Structure formats: structure tokens, C-alpha cells
Amino acid sequence: MFEIKRSPWVLHYDGSSCNGCDIEVLACLTPVYDAERFGIINTGDPMQADILLITGGINSQNAPVVKQLYDQMPRPKVVCAVGVCACTGGIFKDCYNILGGADTVIPVDIYVPGCAARPQAIIDGIVKAVDLFEKRLEEHKQWVAEHENREKTDKSAAAKQPQKAQQPAGETAKAQSQNSAQRRSKNAKGRKTAKRRKK
Amino acid sequence: MKKRSIVPYGPQHPVLPEPIHLDLVIEDEKIVEAIPSVGFIHRGLENLVQKRDFNQMAYVAERVCGICSFGHGFGYCEAIEDIMDIEVPDRAKYLRTIWFELSRMHSHFLWLGLLADGFGFENLFYQCWRIREKILDVLELTTGGRVIFSVNKVGGVMKDITPEMAGAILDMLASVKKELKAIVPAFTQDYSVKSRLVGVGVLTKQQAHDLGCAGPFARASGIQTDMRKLGYAAYGDLDFDVITSNDGDSYARCVVRINEIFQSISIIEQAIEKMPDGELAAVVKGNPQGESFIRIEQPRGEAIYYVSANGSPHLDRMRVRTPTFANLAGLCETLKGADYADVGLLILTIDPCISCTER
């Protein structure tokens, strides 16, 4: 078991499932199974979500909706397909209106099997998603750091100031960490206000 | 003239567990008109009759909806049995009745919880879902599944309820009855809860009749409609009344559903007491030929199953008319003149099951 450092927010969307997996996802959040002990919380807002739990297959009408939800989520993000319909199309695979599993329109990281998926399996999927989210966050931080570094060198090259480009590495890292710290606190503020608004 | 604007509602919305899209025409904060658009969960399930044989379709029919799954499997099997003139053993009829009522109970608890969540009473939501888990435990003990049971087959049922299991069911019913009695005052007497429910979204008896509403939604408006009174399965031998209310508001819908849980408890107790011994399923030979039309009472109201068979293993056509489809017209009527803030709650009061509606 890994250490939980953050509390990722979960967004649940019903693709074209029969409801069985949806009520099991909801049952996971209730006191008996209590998935919230892993720090997650169910949100209705894709803009603040980190993990997308998707149930049911994809059809031509909900494909743009699912795509839009995925695009609205901030990076890094993890997608968890719950139930066999979201994995492959399941029992409805041969139906004329089913294009396939959730991975036909968005990249899926974790597949939870079952028809309907049992709460234990869903909790396992959520825990794996939380773990993956931690890793993704580290990767994302590195990516942001590299990106900012490149931007800086580009800028300084354009201004033709070779002294600044040869800045010691330690200082740059310091500046970056400050930057990211600021960004984090900003994010935290945004979340807090959102939470207050919800309540 | 006041300024009108259109607010899109859904398909992804915090209040809605399932996707439905409503275009709300609003004037200030009042709803003038609600235009629903559906199709986000349409799978084309009825068309599978051409690819699966009539025995396999019993499993597909169950997956019309995960909440009322037992009823859908049951309705489909009844329709095929009607075509083939199969006499279902008495014990199977009683077993079906018991499982049907257990699934009605878990559906109503689910609805009570979602309603509590809808008006922002999270503690009550958790309480309802905690009690609901006890029913699911018993369903898992007797059928092996929590939401999809797969115990119905053409001709009868696949599993039996042993005396120990019956004892477990009775114990569960006693404890659920006690716990439900403890939380009922929170729904019916709490001042804040009443302010969100009483007089909100009124649907008169005439309107409910004209729009063809079904189930607890119509019963709360004073219409005496309950397909269980047709006497299918073992309902003909059991004693129960149709629960109605004359107020037609959200509070009445809540009270009707709470009373139906108590009614289900009494029906299950009677069924366990009267259950005869015997076979679980009749032998099925040959393929169905002809057509049949079956009406049953789902947790959400009257559901209709039409099956047309041609003598081959594959059916010609299966058609399901689900209660939420009938109630959507009533929903749009109740939304007219409602406050924008009540929209989420009003959608919940019809107990929408979009998976059923779109199949």
C-alpha cells in the first residue's frame, strides 16, 4: 500500500450503462464501503476533477460529451473504466448503437471488470487510480519545469543576454519551485472557494 | 414582456446520476417550459433479439436497467411463458414475488437517499443507503448478485430460497422496518425538509390522468393504478392495498414511496409464510410462436413488454415501454412555473430511470 499524499477529486459519468455500475459507484461512497477514506471526493464539476470514473459503453450521441468532459479536466488526469461495458462494450457489444468501450474516444488507464462491477473491485480501481495520479503528478511537474526552462532560455536567447542564460542551475530551480508553490496555493484557493460555493 | 433565456441542464450534472438533457426556458427565476432531449444511453438493446436466442435474451432483458433489473427479466420471461403456454410452478411464482419486492425495496431506499441528497441532507442520504445495503446483502445471499441477479429463466427460476435464507430475510425485514421507522420523521416532519417538498411541483389528478403518468408518481396524484392488482406471479394470493395520496406534490410522492416500502415488507412476510414446496422451473420445449403483451408494476410504475415470435429461436421483436417514459411528460408539466432551484429535486421526484427509457 502506498502513502496517500493528496486528495484527488472524482468525476463520475454514466456513458451508456444499464445503471448497475452507477449505483455500485454511488454505493462505494456510502458508509458501508466508504471510498472517501482514500481521500477522494465525488464532484460534479469536470474542471475540478482529477479522476474520471466512466461506466457504460460509448454511443454516437454521448461520444462528444465524454470527449468534452475529458478535455475539460485539468492535467494530470486518470481515467478509470468501471464495468465490462466501459471496458469493451460488454453484453451490448453487438448492439447497433454501441461503438465500443470508453477507450474508443478517450485514453483509459484502469479497467475494472464485472457486470455489474462489485464495490470491492471499484474500490480497487479507485485506489490504483489514486496511485497512478500521484505518479502522473510527478511527471507533470517535471514536464512543467522543463517547459518553463525552455521558455526562459528561448526568451533570453531572443533578448541576446548570454549572462542570464548561464545562470547557475540552483537559482533557476529555486525560482521554479517558488513559481510552482505560488501556483499551488492559487489552485488550493480556487478549490476552497469552490467547495464553499458547493456547500 | 419579460426577458426569456434558455438554460441547458445536463447531460452531465451533479444532481443527475444519469444523463438527460433539458432545455429550460426561464423568465427571471421561473421555468416557463422544459424541453427534454434523450438518447445519451440508447444502446439498441431490443435489436439484440435477432442475434441472441430467446433463452439468452432473458439475461439481456435484465440489463435494460440495473436498478429494476429483476422486473425486466421477469416481464420478459412472463411474456415468453404466455406465448408458449408454460405453467410456472407455484414455488417459482412465490420466489419471483419475494425477489421482486426486495428489489422494489432497494429501489425505493435508493430513491429516498437521492432525494435527501437532492435537498442537501447528506446525513439522511447516507442513512438510507446504509439501510439499503442490508437488502442488497440478502439479495446477494439468495441470488448471488447485488444488482444484476440472473435468477429468472423462461419457465421459472434458477435458485431456491432455503429455510435458513428465509430466516435471514425475515431478520433483515425486522431490522429494516425498525430503522426505517427511525428515519421517517426526518422526511415527513422536519421543518426544513417540508419546506422543500410541500406544495412543490404539484400535479393534479386530471393532469396525471391526461398525461398517462404511472407508478408512485401517478398514485401520489390520487390515481388508483397498481399492476400488481392484476394478480400476476403470486400477487393474487397476497393481501395488499394500493397506496395513494391526493396532494400530488413532492411531499406526497415521498410519503407514498415510504409507505410502499412498509407494504413490500408485509408482502414479503406473507409470501414467505405461504410459500409452497415444489419444482423451481417447468420444462421448456420448442420455440415460441405468436405474440404477447404483458403489464407489470416496476418500482417506478407500469412497464409493458411486447414480444413477437416466429417459431425460430430468434424473436421477431421485443418492445419495452418503461414507466419513466410515461412520467417524462408529467415531469415537464410539473416543471412549468417551478423555481430554477427546484429543478434538480423535481427531476428526482419522478424517480427517473433513463437507462430504462432509452434502452
Side-chain angles (χ1 to χ4, degrees):
Chain A
M1 185 77 196
F2 56 93
E3 190 188 346
I4 296 167
K5 292 177 195 151
R6 282 174 193 79
S7 96
W9 286 19
V10 165
L11 172 73
H12 164 231
Y13 184 71
D14 175 354
S16 62
S17 84
C18 71
N19 252 346
C21 296
D22 301 289
I23 54 175
E24 293 294 59
V25 166
L26 270 181
C28 279
L29 301 169
T30 56
V32 179
Y33 295 100
D34 198 16
E36 288 183 0
R37 68 198 135 119
F38 302 111
I40 65 145
I41 191 162
N42 192 19
T43 171
D45 187 358
M47 307 264 191
Q48 297 178 14
D50 305 304
I51 298 170
L52 173 62
L53 288 183
I54 181 157
T55 56
I58 298 296
N59 63 31
S60 39
Q61 185 147 2
N62 73 25
V65 180
V66 173
K67 232 180 211 168
Q68 193 188 7
L69 285 177
Y70 181 77
D71 291 340
Q72 281 179 344
M73 285 167 64
R75 292 175 69 179
K77 46 196 162 189
V78 177
V79 178
C80 181
V82 176
V84 73
C85 298
C87 297
T88 63
I91 194 166
F92 306 122
K93 203 176 181 181
D94 294 337
C95 290
Y96 59 82
N97 202 29
I98 292 287
L99 305 176
D103 50 9
T104 49
V105 285
I106 52 171
V108 174
D109 303 301
I110 289 149
Y111 296 87
V112 177
C115 181
R118 292 181 63 81
Q120 290 88 334
I122 297 174
I123 289 172
D124 194 32
I126 289 174
V127 169
K128 286 204 164 92
V130 172
D131 190 21
L132 189 63
F133 178 73
E134 278 306 301
K135 284 175 192 156
R136 287 261 164 95
L137 196 65
E138 291 308 313
E139 284 170 20
H140 185 65
K141 271 185 192 163
Q142 270 179 11
W143 180 84
V144 170
E146 278 168 23
H147 192 73
E148 277 177 357
N149 220 357
R150 207 184 312 140
E151 251 180 15
K152 252 181 202 165
T153 43
D154 285 357
K155 264 185 197 167
S156 50
K160 285 181 186 169
Q161 285 174 324
Q163 294 98 326
K164 269 205 171 175
Q166 285 164 3
Q167 225 175 21
E171 265 178 51
T172 339
K174 212 176 174 185
Q176 272 162 16
S177 67
Q178 265 175 0
N179 269 349
S180 54
Q182 273 172 3
R183 208 170 34 247
R184 258 207 303 280
S185 66
K186 227 180 185 179
N187 273 348
K189 251 184 202 169
R191 281 201 169 173
K192 260 182 203 162
T193 45
K195 214 171 179 184
R196 220 175 292 142
R197 228 179 291 138
K198 201 184 158 201
K199 279 185 178 169
Chain B
M1 190 186 142
K2 281 178 189 169
K3 197 185 166 199
R4 285 191 176 186
S5 45
I6 296 178
V7 180
Y9 200 86
Q12 196 274 332
H13 192 276
V15 177
L16 304 170
E18 295 172 89
I20 180 170
H21 180 83
L22 289 170
D23 280 317
L24 301 173
V25 182
I26 61 171
E27 228 167 50
D28 293 340
E29 284 276 294
K30 294 275 180 208
I31 313 285
V32 182
E33 203 182 356
I35 307 157
S37 59
V38 291
F40 294 97
I41 327 188
H42 179 60
R43 290 152 277 172
L45 176 151
E46 290 168 355
N47 192 254
L48 272 184
V49 289
Q50 291 166 6
K51 292 170 183 165
R52 306 272 182 272
D53 74 32
F54 73 95
N55 282 318
Q56 292 169 334
M57 268 310 283
Y59 302 106
V60 180
E62 269 208 318
R63 282 152 175 94
V64 168
C65 168
I67 306 175
C68 12
S69 60
F70 187 86
H72 287 300
F74 172 80
Y76 170 80
C77 291
E78 280 263 302
I80 298 283
E81 285 152 10
D82 185 42
I83 294 176
M84 297 176 81
D85 278 331
I86 298 168
E87 187 56 42
V88 179
D90 281 346
R91 189 172 175 86
K93 282 184 180 172
Y94 273 85
L95 288 170
R96 282 177 173 183
T97 308
I98 292 168
W99 280 320
F100 207 144
E101 288 306 313
L102 283 172
S103 62
R104 188 186 314 279
M105 278 172 74
H106 99 67
S107 171
H108 280 357
F109 267 112
L110 179 141
W111 179 82
L112 284 175
L114 289 180
L115 180 78
D117 195 36
F119 54 63
F121 201 154
E122 206 147 322
N123 189 334
L124 199 54
F125 164 57
Y126 283 158
Q127 291 293 340
C128 293
W129 280 62
R130 184 179 57 77
I131 302 173
R132 178 177 168 269
E133 284 294 328
K134 293 188 174 179
I135 304 167
L136 292 187
D137 284 347
V138 160
L139 279 168
E140 193 179 349
L141 175 76
T142 51
T143 67
R146 276 170 55 89
V147 289
I148 305 274
F149 313 117
S150 300
V151 282
N152 269 314
K153 67 173 179 180
V154 177
V157 292
M158 296 189 209
K159 286 187 179 160
D160 197 5
I161 291 183
T162 60
E164 297 87 62
M165 287 177 184
I169 293 177
L170 290 173
D171 289 348
M172 180 278 291
L173 290 178
S175 78
V176 164
K177 205 175 189 175
K178 200 175 141 205
E179 290 185 37
L180 179 61
K181 271 183 186 158
I183 63 165
V184 162
F187 281 106
T188 57
Q189 284 162 30
D190 190 276
Y191 173 78
S192 320
V193 172
K194 271 174 104 172
S195 71
R196 288 299 305 272
L197 296 178
V198 176
V200 176
V202 177
L203 190 75
T204 62
K205 187 174 181 179
Q206 189 59 41
Q207 279 174 327
H209 179 265
D210 292 348
L211 295 166
C213 297
F217 189 55
R219 288 199 281 276
S221 294
I223 295 183
Q224 293 264 345
T225 165
D226 194 331
M227 292 308 124
R228 287 179 286 178
K229 283 287 176 196
L230 293 176
Y232 60 84
Y235 287 112
D237 307 341
L238 305 172
D239 176 39
F240 64 98
D241 296 322
V242 181
I243 293 168
T244 55
S245 167
N246 293 320
D247 300 339
D249 57 357
S250 302
Y251 182 75
R253 286 164 213 153
C254 181
V255 171
V256 164
R257 287 196 175 92
I258 289 173
N259 287 333
E260 281 189 19
I261 298 178
F262 286 120
Q263 186 188 44
S264 292
I265 293 175
S266 128
I267 291 177
I268 298 169
E269 282 169 351
Q270 290 177 47
I272 288 179
E273 196 183 317
K274 287 186 181 173
M275 189 160 62
D277 289 333
E279 291 289 310
L280 291 180
V283 183
V284 179
K285 279 180 188 162
N287 295 322
Q289 184 159 24
E291 56 182 2
S292 175
F293 196 80
I294 291 287
R295 305 198 292 169
I296 62 165
E297 184 74 15
Q298 287 275 23
R300 284 157 184 75
E302 176 191 5
I304 301 170
Y305 299 83
Y306 169 76
V307 168
S308 166
N310 55 7
S312 76
H314 299 276
L315 304 172
D316 273 343
R317 182 83 170 91
M318 176 178 106
R319 167 96 179 103
V320 187
R321 203 291 315 254
T322 57
T324 307
F325 182 75
N327 286 341
L328 273 180
L331 169 69
C332 292
E333 192 60 38
T334 55
L335 281 175
K336 280 178 195 165
D339 281 330
Y340 181 72
D342 283 331
V343 173
L345 194 76
L346 284 176
I347 294 176
L348 284 176
T349 57
I350 72 160
D351 200 355
C353 185
I354 312 298
S355 301
C356 285
T357 314
E358 301 179 354
R359 300 180 294 284

